[in-house]
Structure formats: C-alpha cells, structure tokens
Amino acid sequence: MRCTRCGERSAEYKRPYAGDAVCGRCLVGLVRDRVFREIRRWRWFRPGQRIVVALSGGKDSSLALRLVTEYVEPLPDIEVIALTVDEGIPEFREACIWAAERVADELEVEHEVVSFEEEYGFALEEVVEDVDVPACTLCGVLRRRLLNRRARELGADVVVTGHNLDDEAQAALMNFVKADLAQLARLHPEVRPEDGLIVPRVKPLRRVLEREVRWVAEELGLPFHADPCPYAHSSVRSFFREILDEMEERIPDVKFGLVRALDRAGPVLAEEFLEDRLGRCERCGEPAAGDICKACELLERVGLV
C-alpha cells in the first residue's frame, strides 16, 4: 500500500482518526506541521524570549526540544535551555540523563540538571517505601516546584513540557471525573498564571498522539530512553490511560475530541471556578493557594521536613 500523502513510498503508519496510512517521512512532516500550528495558534513564542524545555530524556521531551529549536531558529534573540530534574531513581534516571545530554548536545542546546538531593536533601528512592503517599504524587508535586523555581531563577519566559495528546486527554478525563473543574480549567493553553511566581508552561505536543511521538522520534533518530518509570504502573493516571485506549479502539478520535472540548470550555471554566491569585508560601516562598504550598504540606505530612 502506497502512502496516501506522497504516493511515493510504502505506507508504514495507519491513522484511523484520519482514515489514511502514511510513510515515515510524511508522518514526520504532518506532526511537525501540527506542532507548529499549535505554537502559532496560542502565540507561545516571541523574539527575545528565554525558553526552558523540561527535558526528561524520554521520547516526548526529546521531540519537543527538537521541534521547538526548529521553530524558534528564525526568531531573533531567542535562547533555549534544557532543564532535567533528577528525582533520584537509580539506573532509570541515569539512563534518562544520559539520553538528555545526548539530545541536548546534538541540538547544541545548553543543558542543566537539578536534583531532589540538592533541593530537598533526599532522593526519591530513599524515601518512597517509607511514606504513605503514592510515589507519583510525591514525585509530581516536588518535581513541579523544583522545575518552576529553577526556571524562574534562569529568567525563563516560558517552560516547555513534553505532554502529548494522550497525557492531555487523560488529565481532562481524570479531572472531570473528580469534578476538579478548576484544575480542568488550568489545562487550557490560554489560562496563564498572573502571580509572577509561576513560569507559564506550554505543551507543543498536546495534539500529537503518544505513539506518533515515538514513531517520529525514532524516524528522526533522536536519542531517548524508552523504558517507563518503574513507579508509573501504580499511578491513578495509568487507569485512565487504559480506559481511553479502550475507547479509542471504537472511537478513533476520542482523545482529539476531549482536547477540542477542553479548548472550548477552558476559559468558561476558568472564569467560574478558578481561585483568586496565588500568594507566597510562608515556608518556602513558592506559589500557594493558602498559607502553605502543596509541596510543603506534603513534605510535612510524610515527615520529610
């Protein structure tokens, strides 16, 4: 079967949601175009910005770094910095950092690594078995604080993350089921923090399926670590991943549909359900809805402070 796009090469990848099958080269072009349209749609990048890319060393963030550097190349006075958070999971994170260093080096991007050990005084592996909090919850909250703090220290105008379409659809469904409409609103690209403490985050891959991210990353020869985090199976998100994957077999564009719905409803939800501007945590000075931020609350709860 020939590629339905170029008609020159064999079709290697089927896209049930689009009703076609394309070759690897055309898939790369289609994904690149979709990412660039998303960047233009939300006007994420402008001349003179400093952009920090959260680079985990996995396929998503590696592709995000590649496409962002391509997009901003013609823009004047743009600086891109790759930032990796080492939460302290032996072997897994070491392999990820190795891949992150390789892709940053190939793209000639400055790369920095920050760690839980330096910020909090412990590695995740050292404490996760001794606390009554799921590993993903502990890691996620502490990772976000560290990433935001270091990006702010670097003078970043925006932080790029590698969240793909699967991630966004899972988050949308999960927050809707939990009736957390404020968090659902925060997923919208135009809902930006106004407190000056949180560096705005953007997700260029938010309309690219996870399997397409991997295919394109491999087609481009990008270095990345393919193994999942050893704690990922225990997360609540993995349950919603399975649900959506099953739904996709019957409704091929269900993930796209969820994100389209989010794009339409986000601003309305934000106006109705988002809280007032955040203040500063009394303990660490980071953003907080109350007197104490989530990270400090969590650290105190599990006895790590």
Side-chain angles (χ1 to χ4, degrees):
M1 179 179 178
R2 291 289 181 181
C3 171
T4 54
R5 288 281 168 168
C6 69
E8 299 176 2
R9 282 172 289 283
S10 297
E12 301 171 282
Y13 181 85
K14 291 183 179 180
R15 303 193 307 162
Y17 62 87
D20 63 12
V22 298
C23 66
R25 190 175 74 175
C26 283
L27 181 62
V28 171
L30 288 165
V31 167
R32 180 184 286 111
D33 290 346
R34 196 181 307 157
V35 169
F36 285 9
R37 283 198 305 270
E38 197 71 3
I39 293 172
R40 289 192 294 268
R41 178 186 183 189
W42 306 110
R43 300 180 297 276
W44 280 330
F45 304 139
R46 301 183 302 277
Q49 283 184 324
R50 175 172 287 183
I51 300 169
V52 166
V53 178
L55 181 63
S56 70
K59 63 187 186 309
D60 304 289
S61 61
S62 293
L63 182 60
L65 180 62
R66 165 68 181 266
L67 295 181
V68 166
T69 56
E70 284 187 26
Y71 184 89
V72 304
E73 185 178 9
L75 300 180
D77 302 319
I78 287 276
E79 183 179 5
V80 178
I81 301 172
L83 179 61
T84 299
V85 176
D86 178 4
E87 68 285 285
I89 303 175
E91 296 184 7
F92 168 75
R93 184 50 64 191
E94 291 167 2
C96 289
I97 292 175
W98 180 79
E101 289 173 343
R102 285 186 61 202
V103 71
D105 184 61
E106 288 185 9
L107 296 173
E108 299 182 340
V109 171
E110 178 184 343
H111 181 224
E112 179 174 329
V113 179
V114 292
S115 71
F116 277 24
E117 186 71 47
E118 296 169 354
E119 177 75 5
Y120 304 116
F122 59 84
L124 185 68
E125 186 80 0
E126 297 171 352
V127 301
V128 70
E129 299 296 335
D130 300 323
V131 299
D132 63 347
V133 174
C136 290
T137 300
L138 181 63
C139 181
V141 171
L142 300 184
R143 174 188 288 272
R144 282 190 293 273
R145 185 172 82 170
L146 179 51
L147 178 62
N148 181 68
R149 173 180 288 178
R150 187 56 189 144
R152 195 174 63 237
E153 292 170 350
L154 289 169
D157 296 288
V158 66
V159 171
V160 172
T161 67
H163 292 84
N164 57 50
L165 177 63
D166 294 61
D167 296 323
E168 287 295 274
Q170 291 157 21
L173 181 61
M174 184 166 56
N175 285 301
F176 183 80
V177 168
K178 293 165 59 179
D180 192 343
L181 299 184
Q183 191 60 35
L184 188 62
R186 291 189 183 96
L187 294 174
H188 193 277
E190 288 185 328
V191 177
R192 298 290 190 89
E194 299 179 355
D195 48 60
L197 298 174
I198 299 178
V199 182
R201 296 188 181 189
V202 302
K203 307 169 186 177
L205 305 183
R206 66 190 295 270
R207 286 184 178 270
V208 183
L209 286 164
E210 181 176 11
R211 60 180 177 272
E212 292 183 0
V213 171
R214 177 160 188 158
W215 190 287
V216 171
E218 291 177 344
E219 187 76 16
L220 292 173
L222 291 176
F224 67 89
H225 183 59
D227 294 343
C229 173
Y231 297 110
H233 68 280
S234 63
S235 69
V236 175
R237 181 181 286 269
S238 65
F239 171 71
F240 286 93
R241 173 193 294 272
E242 293 173 3
I243 290 175
L244 279 170
D245 286 346
E246 289 181 13
M247 292 175 66
E248 189 181 36
E249 293 182 6
R250 296 194 177 191
I251 312 172
D253 66 342
V254 64
K255 296 171 184 175
F256 289 95
L258 279 168
V259 173
R260 286 196 299 269
L262 173 65
D263 287 352
R264 297 183 63 180
V268 178
L269 294 173
E271 185 175 346
E272 181 69 22
F273 296 103
L274 277 187
E275 305 165 350
D276 295 333
R277 291 180 61 174
L278 298 176
R280 285 183 180 270
C281 174
E282 293 179 353
R283 296 183 182 174
C284 69
E286 289 300 299
D291 296 331
I292 306 298
C293 71
K294 288 185 178 180
C296 286
E297 287 180 356
L298 187 56
L299 289 170
E300 181 178 24
R301 172 184 163 188
V302 299
L304 295 175
V305 293

